[in-house]
Amino acid sequence: TRLADALRDVPGASVVQSGSFGSQTAIFLRGGESDYAKVLIDGVPVNDAGGAIDIAHLTVADVDRIEIVRGPASVLYGSDAVTGVIQIFTRRDRDHSRLDLSARGGSYATRDATAELGITRGPVRLSASGTTHETDGVLDFNNQYRNRQGSASVGFEQPNGGDLRLMVRHSDATYHYPTDFLGTPVDSNQYRREKRLIAALDAVAPLGRTVRAGLTIARNALDGISDNQVDRPDDLAYHDESEARRHVVDGRIDVRLPRNAVLTSGAEWTDQRERNTSNFDEARINRGYYAQVLAGTGAPWLITVGARVDDNEKFGTFVTSRASASWAIARATRVRAAFGTAFKEPAFAEVFTTSFTRGNPSLEPERSRSVEAAVEQGFFSDRARIS
């Protein structure tokens, strides 16, 4: 039911959950920090500024597939893509209309219900889904978890290759936890609530036989509430509300070149803002410019070369690059090599002074350099593979 469950079987990925269902859950790719992996939903980044991401509340109710890029990928995806990128693609009904309903129950008073609708009429594709997940949790009291999600998308696909899609996804999750800072279950009313809204407009239009233009306008909004009221003599009351916003505009052009090569170039504008009830309210803008050439089809060879320049109003200019090659030297044997650089911008609490931190405005992004070589061997008609 959750993204965390789907990623547990991925080689090179480690999922760490801090408690019962709904507790903070982190993903580590290739041994890097959890804020070194960038997570996107239909191209919309869901990481906080500085890479932090809690995947506890991301479900797979309307998900078609999950794709993972291993290694540095800042050339196309910018900051935070240090050890890899995880992208979630929601369902797109193309061939037929459908209606799916399901309900499940189990241990810990767990109740799940899902409804999915897909309508296809000529070039128009409409999808909608709603899901709810509730449980009492593994602890004896104040460990309830509730996650409700709704999503909808409408797409218009043209015979000439043009495509227009609007996607909206909203989730509302509340996690109750009775533990104090030592892990002792003593609190009867402590909870954390998060509401997330993701919206994206993605348009692709052909400009000729070999040129395609694309435009993405996206918004990711996360509202959080942490609350605890006094319920025992030694309790400490608190109430904190926070907001995180990310707006992205990305324009790109794909040009088909000889020898199955594609040149992708584009520019990205990102506006990030965070604030909370402690009178912390800050924002920063990043502008990125990128280009990448992909040549070959993978059978037998594939080569990529790319570079990116980011200009951030808080930490200046940063350059990243990547080059990789893959060659099938036999039917079941492939060799690969790659070199790349990546970066992670500082989190807001590291650059700006908040109620809990003293910021350093001269802090620079973290930088990485990665070199790898690999051999992949398939067995039994590719039913098994060793890398």
Side-chain angles (χ1 to χ4, degrees):
T1 59
R2 302 176 303 155
L3 175 67
D5 300 325
L7 294 177
R8 290 187 191 278
D9 294 332
V10 175
S14 298
V15 177
V16 179
Q17 184 172 316
S18 61
S20 182
F21 313 104
S23 63
Q24 185 171 1
T25 306
I27 176 72
F28 301 84
L29 288 179
R30 288 188 160 184
E33 296 179 11
S34 60
D35 52 5
Y36 287 175
K38 194 160 191 174
V39 180
L40 304 99
I41 299 179
D42 286 338
V44 182
V46 294
N47 298 64
D48 294 339
I53 177 67
D54 179 7
I55 64 172
H57 311 310
L58 298 181
T59 72
V60 295
D62 60 340
V63 172
D64 176 60
R65 69 188 189 279
I66 302 169
E67 295 185 0
I68 298 175
V69 178
R70 293 179 177 84
S74 286
V75 167
L76 290 183
Y77 299 100
S79 175
D80 313 329
V82 178
T83 57
V85 174
I86 300 171
Q87 181 151 200
I88 304 164
F89 294 91
T90 57
R91 295 186 64 165
R92 299 189 184 190
D93 296 285
R94 299 181 181 274
D95 301 326
H96 59 277
S97 300
R98 64 181 178 88
L99 174 62
D100 297 331
L101 302 172
S102 67
R104 300 186 297 182
S107 302
Y108 309 113
T110 300
R111 294 91 67 194
D112 290 346
T114 302
E116 296 184 355
L117 172 67
I119 299 176
T120 301
R121 291 291 185 272
V124 180
R125 307 182 307 275
L126 175 65
S127 298
S129 73
T131 181
T132 177
H133 172 78
E134 296 184 50
T135 178
D136 287 350
V138 301
L139 299 179
D140 292 334
F141 69 100
N142 193 36
N143 204 205
Q144 310 95 284
Y145 175 61
R146 185 199 70 193
N147 189 353
R148 293 173 180 170
Q149 175 186 294
S151 63
S153 68
V154 58
F156 303 89
E157 191 172 289
Q158 299 300 316
N160 63 355
D163 192 16
L164 178 66
R165 185 172 188 248
L166 175 64
M167 179 272 292
V168 178
R169 178 185 177 112
H170 182 267
S171 62
D172 185 346
T174 302
Y175 170 61
H176 292 256
Y177 54 103
T179 52
D180 60 12
F181 66 97
L182 294 175
T184 307
V186 294
D187 205 300
S188 64
N189 58 4
Q190 192 172 215
Y191 73 91
R192 168 73 178 173
R193 183 179 183 182
E194 289 188 2
K195 294 189 289 183
R196 185 187 295 273
L197 174 65
I198 299 173
L201 175 66
D202 188 67
V204 177
L207 302 182
R209 293 184 57 185
T210 60
V211 181
R212 283 162 56 94
L215 175 66
T216 299
I217 303 174
R219 171 183 170 87
N220 174 42
L222 178 65
D223 297 322
I225 297 176
S226 296
D227 185 89
N228 181 44
Q229 301 305 312
V230 174
D231 63 346
R232 64 185 194 279
D234 61 340
D235 201 5
L236 177 65
Y238 64 84
H239 181 86
D240 181 78
E241 298 184 19
S242 61
E243 295 179 0
R245 302 286 186 266
R246 184 194 294 257
H247 299 94
V248 179
V249 178
D250 182 279
R252 60 199 177 277
I253 295 179
D254 293 330
V255 180
R256 292 200 169 272
L257 306 174
R259 297 186 179 275
N260 295 316
V262 177
L263 169 64
T264 298
S265 59
E268 178 185 277
W269 177 88
T270 303
D271 174 45
Q272 300 171 332
R273 178 178 295 273
E274 288 188 10
R275 77 176 189 91
N276 59 31
T277 51
S278 63
N279 296 322
F280 173 77
D281 189 352
E282 296 289 349
R284 64 189 180 199
I285 293 176
N286 185 82
R287 300 172 181 87
Y289 312 92
Y290 58 89
Q292 175 180 276
V293 175
L294 185 151
T297 61
W301 57 276
L302 184 71
I303 296 175
T304 61
V305 178
R308 179 186 181 103
V309 177
D310 283 275
D311 181 17
N312 190 285
E313 64 178 4
K314 298 300 181 183
F315 57 76
T317 303
F318 197 86
V319 179
T320 53
S321 60
R322 178 180 170 90
S324 65
S326 172
W327 187 277
I329 60 177
R331 283 193 61 175
T333 307
R334 178 175 291 273
V335 295
R336 293 186 290 107
F339 167 83
T341 60
F343 75 103
K344 186 192 82 68
E345 61 187 346
F348 272 78
E350 295 172 326
V351 179
F352 303 104
T353 298
T354 71
S355 299
F356 305 99
T357 65
R358 175 180 293 179
N360 179 3
S362 61
L363 194 65
E364 294 185 355
E366 297 182 49
R367 308 175 181 220
S368 77
R369 183 183 297 110
S370 176
V371 181
E372 66 178 87
V375 177
E376 297 181 358
Q377 178 65 51
F379 301 92
F380 313 116
S381 301
D382 260 359
R383 291 186 178 91
R385 177 170 292 273
I386 294 178
S387 300

